[in-house]
């Protein structure tokens, strides 16, 4: 059994599609404040895809966000329906796919939690993050 799987998904309106190969051990729950604010949720599940293993159809809208680290981060979403698709470094060497739009989302259980210093207090009550 391989740790790598193929994933695919489309935004809510179908204008943007993504196919990628990801490693299951690189699925994470991100608790950073950017993920909280942009997703409207206490954390966001992401799957990391290297740039040589991703195919994007359509034209996502991109927004450049300066992270707390000072690094520029590309935030991509569908310009029509607003579905959040991915974040990447400015050179797009890897993509943090938002698992919610992927057809395989049920198989993409986060293996680690990152930026837990930003976790909401009520999340910490229920699980160790």
């Amino acid at each position: 059994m391989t740790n790598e799987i193929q994933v695919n998904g489309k935004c809510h309106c179908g204008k943007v599609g993504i196919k990628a190969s990801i490693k299951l051990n690189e699925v994470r729950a991100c608790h950073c404040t950017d993920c909280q604010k942009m997703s409207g949720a206490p954390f966001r599940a992401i799957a990391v895809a290297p740039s040589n293993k991703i195919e994007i159809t359509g034209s996502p809208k991109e927004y450049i966000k300066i992270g707390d680290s000072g690094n520029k981060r590309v935030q991509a979403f569908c310009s029509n329906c607003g579905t959040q698709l991915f974040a990447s470094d400015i050179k797009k060497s890897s993509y943090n796919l938002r698992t919610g739009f992927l057809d395989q989302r049920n198989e993409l259980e986060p293996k680690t939690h990152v930026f837990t210093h930003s976790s909401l207090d009520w999340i910490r009550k229920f699980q160790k993050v």
Side-chain angles (χ1 to χ4, degrees), residues 41-105:
F43 59 88
R44 177 170 28 202
I46 60 171
V48 180
S51 61
N52 65 339
K53 295 192 176 189
I54 188 168
E55 177 185 327
I56 301 170
T57 56
S59 300
K61 174 76 174 157
E62 294 182 354
Y63 164 71
I64 305 299
K65 164 76 172 86
I66 306 297
D68 290 339
S69 65
N71 294 329
K72 292 180 180 178
R73 298 287 296 163
V74 176
Q75 305 289 328
F77 55 95
C78 175
S79 64
N80 187 54
C81 67
T83 300
Q84 305 235 343
L85 303 166
F86 63 83
S88 70
D89 58 282
I90 203 75
K91 294 180 181 180
K92 295 186 179 174
S93 60
S94 90
Y95 293 75
N96 290 347
L97 301 177
R98 305 338 189 170
T99 63
F101 81 94
L102 297 172
D103 293 343
Q104 298 77 16
R105 62 188 160 270

Side-chain angles (χ1 to χ4, degrees), residues 13-25:
C13 72
K15 281 181 66 173
V16 180
I18 293 180
K19 293 179 183 177
S21 180
I22 60 120
K23 292 182 179 176
L24 289 173
N25 64 350

Side-chain angles (χ1 to χ4, degrees), residues 101-119:
F101 81 94
L102 297 172
D103 293 343
Q104 298 77 16
R105 62 188 160 270
N106 193 50
E107 301 168 47
L108 303 176
E109 180 181 342
K111 303 299 185 235
T112 58
H113 291 255
V114 296
F115 297 106
T116 56
H117 63 277
S118 302
S119 295

